[in-house]
Amino acid sequence: MSSIAIICSGGDVSGMNPAIKHFVEYSLKKGLTPYFVYDGYEGLIDNKIVEASYKDVSGIIIRGGTLIGSARSKRFMQPEFRAIAKQNLDALDIHMLVVLGGDGSFRGLHAFYKEHGVQFCGIPSTIDNDIHGTDYCLGVDTALNIIKSSIDSIRDTASSFRRAFVIETMGRDCGYLALISAITSGAELCLVPEIAYDLKEYEEDFKEQIKNGRRYFIAIVSEGIEQDSQEIANWFEEKIGIESRVSILGHIQRGGNPTIYDRLMAYKFVTHAINGLLEGKEESVICYSKKGFEFKSIDEVTSSKYHLDLELVQFL
Ligand code: F6P
């Protein structure tokens, strides 16, 4: 019986546990022996590779995070540690890997494949939704729903107090979470790294809105913009004349019970990944777009930068 292992690498997302559950169940169904690699590529190097069974994954579908842990591994960037990882896999006769991670994680795997020929399939998994070649990354829907609930709660207090709230979302250099959250929460201001802005352009309009009875403002800003969120709050106080507060949502966005959409996407991504490996796909990433699921090469996914769909801006 062939063996296959699953690894989570980089920032965890809610949706990894449903993926791990389905990985075990679908591997067994396909006659494969499933293994967990604990703690990302670090665990591959340190030989934290353990055979998995049905009972390991019972009940995990509802949990955020990842049962098998994740890590950002500096050692895996070095060939000598990748050689150790290969020895560990060989000892268990594992020649196929399913990796849940972002483009940085896929780059590491690409090097591993080129040196040692270990067959793998990547599943795009990051709340940032910033991987080129896929419209959806696992975990994004849950993160957006957590952000939505947070903004809804903040709105209650903002409206009671006549305040402006500057709410900072994660996303590194990608404004996807901020943009979608701003549109779907009816925010008055949205600032993302991809779009240049000049706060002066909002001043007259915002002051007029206050004159006309506006009690509060919701501003959604992405962590990757050049200004600090506190500077935006100061601008509200000094130039618009409204008391303001900053709320940095932080790692709350990475946790929480996976949404139905992420559970379903986890199952679909894993099924395609395992099928692809069994069909002989050597080194690919399973991507999702309007066209459906498609395997893309690591080069295609990692050679370009993800571009935010600027058409969405019209909905702000
Ligand atoms: O890439 C996912 C992400 O959550 C980013 O949005 C954020 O900038 C970063 O990871 C935070 O990383 P860490 O968990 O190491 O603080």
Side-chain angles (χ1 to χ4, degrees), residues 19-31:
I20 291 166
K21 175 180 167 64
H22 190 58
F23 165 80
V24 171
E25 293 171 349
Y26 194 63
S27 298
L28 291 170
K29 189 171 162 188
K30 289 285 176 180

Side-chain angles (χ1 to χ4, degrees), residues 200-216:
K200 268 200 177 58
E201 288 171 11
Y202 297 91
E203 287 177 7
E204 209 175 304
D205 177 36
F206 281 11
K207 283 194 280 197
E208 191 61 26
Q209 288 190 35
I210 292 179
K211 266 197 217 143
N212 292 335
R214 171 170 288 287
R215 290 180 56 83
Y216 68 94

Side-chain angles (χ1 to χ4, degrees), residues 281-296:
K281 297 231 161 10
E282 287 283 316
E283 46 140 8
S284 61
V285 177
I286 180 70
C287 295
Y288 181 74
S289 71
K290 288 181 199 92
K291 287 190 260 166
F293 288 89
E294 275 178 299
F295 291 95
K296 296 201 173 163

